[in-house]
Amino acid sequence: MMNAPHTTEPQPTLRVALLGCGNVGSQVARILLEDADNLAARIGARLELTGIAVRSVDAPREAELPRELFTTDAESLVEGADIVIELMGGIEPARTLILRAIDHGASVVSGNKALLAQDGPTLYERADAAHVQLSYEAAVAGAIPILRPIRDSLSGDRITRVLGIVNGTTNYILDQMDTTGAQFADALADAQRLGYAEADPTADIEGYDAASKAAILASLSFHTRFALENVHCQGITSVTAEDIASAKDAGYVIKLLAIAELLKDEAGDDGVSVRVHPTLLPRDHPLAAVRGAFNAVFVEAENAGELMFYGQGAGGTPTASAVLGDVVSAARRMVLGGPGRTETTTGHVPALSIDMVNTSYYIGLDVADQPGVLAKIAHLFAEHGVSIETMRQTIHPAKDGGEASAELRIVTHRAAESSLAATVKHIQDLDVINAVTSVLRVEGI
Amino acid sequence: MMNAPHTTEPQPTLRVALLGCGNVGSQVARILLEDADNLAARIGARLELTGIAVRSVDAPREAELPRELFTTDAESLVEGADIVIELMGGIEPARTLILRAIDHGASVVSGNKALLAQDGPTLYERADAAHVQLSYEAAVAGAIPILRPIRDSLSGDRITRVLGIVNGTTNYILDQMDTTGAQFADALADAQRLGYAEADPTADIEGYDAASKAAILASLSFHTRFALENVHCQGITSVTAEDIASAKDAGYVIKLLAIAELLKDEAGDDGVSVRVHPTLLPRDHPLAAVRGAFNAVFVEAENAGELMFYGQGAGGTPTASAVLGDVVSAARRMVLGGPGRTETTTGHVPALSIDMVNTSYYIGLDVADQPGVLAKIAHLFAEHGVSIETMRQTIHPAKDGGEASAELRIVTHRAAESSLAATVKHIQDLDVINAVTSVLRVEGI
């Protein structure tokens, strides 16, 4: 234990209401109780946990907490609080309770990414008008301090791109596939068995969880409000062991990335693409080394250059650290006075459709081993304005009386989504093509 | 360019004075001028660069700046400013000018690690008393947002250890030695030729620059003020190509680390060890992959677990990003009102001497190839209470009529500095020892 400071004056008290007592909430409650003296010393006021709103008072909890703290009456709890911590998840009643807290002058700390991505603007505006703080570091990348650095530390810079591994479940699955050669279904089952994936894994594996986080990251990075509907979202369910093996062989690793990127639209004006999709990264890219259930966010800014933030993206105790950082900041501000403004939207950059995005592509083709095949394919790419960066061919000799075939792996220069789609469509019609085995985007080259 | 927002009301103006116009200062001035509209939109006030104090108005600059901004009268410039940016470096006149700025009610942004490490407490106290901000993100790890995350994001957690690669020059030199097998002197000459090391490299290679940063990191991490005199400092001049090769062979990389660590003293009370020394890290540790002139800071906290912050640790433009982040934050606070308090020292943990530090050690020995040698050495370690984790022996056959010898590499469990020193002293007296070739600390295992 760090020594408690010597205080002589009685300290003021701030009333803290906790909504939800799951994985993260129970750890937040435990730390508020166990570490009360240290927190008081840092804040200059004591935090009094006045209650924990839950659906059932008798449900089992991860931490041992005094039974008298629990209540099912969330509304009353919220009305008496200086700081409300919302860790219920879901849209309702979380949304109504947060608005009620703001209307009663409480500052709010939330980890509710789905609510923030869907209805953030309503919440931010209401908090601004009420001059209270609304903070949500825990909503993106668990314990990693990423929102505050983007909002404050980089406020004098211009962010141009954010690439994030923000979902531990999919990163664990892809990492297992990469390490063991497993197929998606087996890696998912393994993750479920170990508790890294939920019984219904849809929100993770379809990319919806990452998409909420992408919307939040984009909003803070580009000072413009983006919602879930602005995010192009593709999950990892169609990534095969063959994709991974082929990418590995070519020096890449496949990661599910949340991407927010400043681009030019057709008129040359600024726009932002916000998207989630499986992405090839060179194995020496800093994000490529982020293994298992860890998260990391890679930020490119005009002046700062490349930055990376790495740490635990989930888990009750790590995420509780982010929640408590927000609670202490809000409490300090109450003690010292000062503004409640936490979010600025000073930009007016539109969200761009995925069609406007130029990335490199990785294309795997199973082709006939005949003279002239490479020329036919290269010609077709050129016709569609897609420039080839590298082309690698592996010959599979004929066996069992079949014909010889070849595996062709193409990495393109940056090309428009639409041009690439047209190229792939026409390639499939070539008589020398047996199959298009992979079409994946590449970043970081 | 991001679209400028539509504003109707006239905006207030904040006067910004810049002290120093070197590598970083000239980029700060350029961005303040070029990006004025965007900065104004984010702040809600225009930043007017009122002048740049320099020693010589006619010295060559890295950025083209209006000549009329330059002045040699720093004192007058400071007195008329709302925000003073100090990028002169050195103790005086920087210290006097910062105190004058504070006394005139200006907020101060500084990148002066030497001054902050030597006399930070005076500056913080004066800024607190005057209710102005003193911020210095640029003083540690250049562009990487690290001080604000430690101070704010982790304010609800308890940091237990910070390991930082915070000096790009030494990281470049060690990286070159690791990659090419070069000796220290050659790698240093190479770094000087490429501009990664200065003509007088003392401050970098002796670890003094890293020691200043270690003192600042320790102060923020442990809410206690540590100064340069509390830092045990050992540079990289004695690291040999043989050390690096031997470490590499055993699966380690050698990095110069700035370390701040919460420990127990002999009475079981909390204490902090702040130190800089060459350190072996396992090659799969996240810091091991930080190459060349990049910086990274690895933070361990009780709840958050392991976090890492990575980016460019030097360079005019990246460091300017950190300076401007502080400027925008200070300016926002002026516009919105609020407290100037930037630093809390609520802890009272003493700095521990290096003798109190337990780390693992890597010891390289050149020994006679005789029966019983291993037993003698193992016995001597045991006598001094130093427990051996791994012991690897490589035999060098006799040649040219000489005797056969063996290379012995020992990694210990955590041991006290004093026990280890006594062990090494007695080992040298053993008749079977030809030489003690390396004694290096190990972290991250």
Side-chain angles (χ1 to χ4, degrees), chain B residues 168-306:
Chain B
T169 303
T170 48
N171 200 51
Y172 177 83
I173 291 171
L174 291 172
D175 194 23
Q176 283 297 105
M177 291 173 74
D178 187 74
T179 312
T180 68
Q183 285 291 0
F184 171 75
D186 298 329
L188 170 60
D190 188 42
Q192 285 174 315
R193 197 173 45 78
L194 292 166
Y196 291 131
E198 295 183 35
D200 176 0
T202 312
D204 293 319
I205 63 177
E206 296 294 353
Y208 306 146
D209 172 79
S212 290
K213 294 163 178 171
I216 296 171
L217 286 170
S219 298
L220 289 172
S221 300
F222 300 108
H223 310 279
T224 302
R225 284 168 186 159
F226 297 101
L228 203 48
E229 68 200 36
N230 302 125
V231 186
H232 170 89
C233 179
Q234 181 192 342
I236 64 165
T237 53
S238 62
V239 176
T240 64
E242 291 68 34
D243 285 336
I244 299 220
S246 160
K248 193 172 188 172
D249 194 51
Y252 295 97
V253 61
I254 299 182
K255 296 286 188 189
L256 183 71
L257 295 189
I259 302 175
E261 189 176 19
L262 190 63
L263 298 171
K264 296 290 178 196
D265 66 14
E266 283 161 332
D269 293 325
D270 280 335
V272 171
S273 161
V274 194
R275 57 193 201 270
V276 170
H277 53 65
T279 314
L280 270 71
L281 286 171
R283 293 215 163 235
D284 60 359
H285 190 280
L287 284 177
V290 178
R291 307 287 298 271
F294 273 81
N295 277 198
V297 181
F298 192 79
V299 177
E300 294 173 36
E302 227 170 63
N303 299 318
E306 298 180 344

Side-chain angles (χ1 to χ4, degrees), chain A residues 391-402:
Chain A
M391 200 170 198
R392 295 176 50 179
Q393 192 177 18
T394 314
I395 308 290
H396 300 296
K399 51 182 177 185
D400 303 333

